[in-house]
Amino acid sequence: MKYQEAKEKFISTWGSLGTLWGINKAMAQIQALLFISTKPLSMEDIMEELQISRGNTSMNLRQLIDWGIVTKVLVSGERKEFFTTEKDVQELARTIAKERSRREIKPVIKVLEEVSSIEDDGTKKTQELIKQTKALKELTDDLDTLMNKLVNQKQNWLTKSVLKLMK
Amino acid sequence: MKYQEAKEKFISTWGSLGTLWGINKAMAQIQALLFISTKPLSMEDIMEELQISRGNTSMNLRQLIDWGIVTKVLVSGERKEFFTTEKDVQELARTIAKERSRREIKPVIKVLEEVSSIEDDGTKKTQELIKQTKALKELTDDLDTLMNKLVNQKQNWLTKSVLKLMK
DNA sequence: TTAAACTTTCAATAATTATTGAAAGTTTAT
DNA sequence: ATAAACTTTCAATAATTATTGAAAGTTTAA
């Protein structure tokens, strides 16, 4: 496998993984492209490389910027904008974990809390609802905390030592 | 908030969470419904409760069974089939983690491995591709292993102690 | 065996989500 | 001020994904 093929494989795999994780294809592909690029890319570069429209590129770049994954960079002597993505995988994971927690997990925990704290009217079905949503709430809470803590360990000693402990 | 409202809120929240995680809405809602039900439900029950068609119910139940989350149960004296879901959240998490790892994460690791082991032709861009996909591969591998180990601890002592350690 | 009770399949259709492209908007250089 | 260079917006359209419902398939009881 040569460079071009490998690059395309990486970008398309990352793209379809994105879809699976609630991030759209173009967004994931743009991030992938920037991730392996040796220098910041302009909108033109991205459009050309991924064969997508200007509008699409613009909208998805904005989303990536909202996620905190991509940043605009100024290239001196150039008028147009250039973009790069976070290049350190640890930092990338940290950002994604934080955003997913904020956007997806926290709101669910909130609903589970509300549902699990309805008044117990003594019926079996109400008790089951309370019991099960409470259990789900606790699990979700634990996993969310764990994920954030793990991924926030800058030095990553914890992941390493926990892994070693278990391997 | 009374029972009916709480139930609907739970089912619809779980349903849209599903969409976000690559599981379709009906599938997630069926699971949610079974999760808070005090007894196994028939296809009729599910169709009625969620207002979805027979075909949809049948297909999504099958998927849930494929995932290992839902099982058929025989109710004596009844001809039709009844269904329940795993009621223990820990076990549920274990099953989901294992399946997601197998279906989604492992294949990505494989691609990353392939891409990161292309021949280094000495160019900057090839070296960047190799370096970045290798880093991504290692991170994905670590997180996958960690997730599986964590979730596989039947007694859950590890999650608890790690959490305590960090709180 | 047969017919009623039940489940699955799948082509058609609906609903949702992504993408385009051109017009409107913004910035910068002169 | 104005026009060129560039970006954003958004209604229209395309692509994808989910859902329906009726026909085909299967199982069970008599």
Side-chain angles (χ1 to χ4, degrees):
Chain A
M1 187 161 49
K2 297 298 285 296
Y3 177 76
Q4 194 56 32
E5 196 198 336
K7 174 182 176 176
E8 278 160 20
K9 196 164 192 175
F10 172 64
I11 291 173
S12 82
T13 303
W14 212 238
S16 44
L17 184 75
T19 304
L20 222 43
W21 285 76
I23 285 162
N24 93 2
K25 202 179 74 176
M27 189 173 157
Q29 289 189 340
I30 294 172
Q31 198 278 326
L33 177 63
L34 292 173
F35 189 67
I36 57 169
S37 168
T38 53
K39 54 180 204 313
L41 301 179
S42 69
M43 240 173 69
E44 296 289 341
D45 296 335
I46 296 168
M47 287 166 60
E48 161 84 6
E49 193 73 61
L50 303 178
Q51 294 293 317
I52 58 178
S53 72
R54 188 175 297 284
N56 201 0
T57 308
S58 170
M59 285 169 114
N60 284 109
L61 273 171
R62 179 141 61 90
Q63 284 214 73
L64 285 164
I65 292 170
D66 283 351
W67 271 71
I69 290 171
V70 162
T71 45
K72 287 186 185 178
V73 296
L74 292 168
V75 172
S76 57
E78 290 273 12
R79 179 147 160 197
K80 58 180 162 228
E81 296 173 320
F82 287 77
F83 304 88
T84 12
T85 190
E86 172 60 52
K87 287 282 188 160
D88 173 38
V89 286
Q90 300 282 338
E91 189 57 43
L92 192 62
R94 219 167 282 146
T95 306
I96 293 172
K98 209 183 294 170
E99 280 296 294
R100 284 188 65 96
S101 168
R102 186 176 69 78
R103 292 170 193 239
E104 298 159 23
I105 306 180
K106 293 273 157 55
V108 170
I109 291 175
K110 194 161 157 284
V111 172
L112 290 174
E113 238 157 23
E114 284 168 30
V115 170
S116 68
S117 58
I118 62 169
E119 196 201 343
D120 183 352
D121 62 10
T123 64
K124 219 174 154 191
K125 59 186 193 175
T126 300
Q127 287 171 350
E128 184 72 5
L129 178 65
I130 292 172
K131 180 180 145 215
Q132 292 296 76
T133 51
K134 198 174 274 178
L136 215 43
K137 191 254 160 194
E138 266 145 34
L139 178 78
T140 310
D141 234 352
D142 278 2
L143 291 179
D144 182 53
T145 306
L146 190 58
M147 181 182 81
N148 276 290
K149 298 275 174 173
L150 278 176
V151 113
N152 266 308
Q153 292 302 127
K154 297 263 182 215
Q155 320 82 335
N156 206 31
W157 60 267
L158 191 64
T159 313
K160 288 228 171 62
S161 54
V162 172
L163 277 176
K164 207 170 290 173
L165 205 87
M166 296 186 298
K167 272 237 165 98
Chain B
M1 188 161 49
K2 295 300 283 298
Y3 177 76
Q4 193 58 31
E5 195 198 337
K7 174 181 178 177
E8 278 160 20
K9 195 163 192 175
F10 172 63
I11 290 172
S12 81
T13 303
W14 212 236
S16 43
L17 185 73
T19 303
L20 223 42
W21 285 77
I23 285 161
N24 92 4
K25 200 179 78 177
M27 188 174 157
Q29 289 189 341
I30 293 171
Q31 198 278 328
L33 177 64
L34 292 173
F35 189 68
I36 57 169
S37 169
T38 53
K39 54 182 205 309
L41 302 180
S42 69
M43 240 173 68
E44 297 289 342
D45 296 335
I46 296 168
M47 287 165 61
E48 160 83 8
E49 193 72 61
L50 303 178
Q51 294 293 316
I52 59 178
S53 73
R54 186 175 297 283
N56 201 1
T57 308
S58 170
M59 288 170 113
N60 285 109
L61 272 171
R62 180 142 60 90
Q63 285 214 72
L64 285 164
I65 292 169
D66 283 350
W67 271 71
I69 291 171
V70 161
T71 45
K72 286 186 186 180
V73 296
L74 292 168
V75 172
S76 57
E78 290 275 10
R79 180 146 161 199
K80 59 181 161 223
E81 298 173 321
F82 287 77
F83 303 88
T84 13
T85 191
E86 171 60 53
K87 287 283 190 160
D88 173 38
V89 287
Q90 301 281 339
E91 190 57 44
L92 191 62
R94 220 167 281 147
T95 306
I96 293 172
K98 209 183 295 170
E99 281 296 294
R100 285 187 66 97
S101 169
R102 186 176 70 77
R103 291 170 193 238
E104 297 160 23
I105 306 180
K106 293 273 156 53
V108 170
I109 290 175
K110 194 160 157 285
V111 172
L112 289 175
E113 240 156 22
E114 284 166 29
V115 170
S116 68
S117 58
I118 62 169
E119 195 201 344
D120 182 353
D121 63 10
T123 63
K124 217 175 156 192
K125 59 186 193 175
T126 301
Q127 287 172 349
E128 183 73 4
L129 178 65
I130 293 173
K131 179 181 146 214
Q132 292 297 76
T133 51
K134 197 174 274 176
L136 216 41
K137 192 251 159 197
E138 266 145 35
L139 178 78
T140 311
D141 235 352
D142 279 3
L143 290 179
D144 182 52
T145 307
L146 189 58
M147 181 183 80
N148 276 291
K149 298 274 173 173
L150 277 176
V151 112
N152 266 308
Q153 292 301 128
K154 298 262 183 217
Q155 319 83 336
N156 206 32
W157 60 266
L158 192 63
T159 311
K160 288 227 171 63
S161 54
V162 172
L163 276 175
K164 207 170 288 172
L165 205 87
M166 296 187 298
K167 274 237 163 98

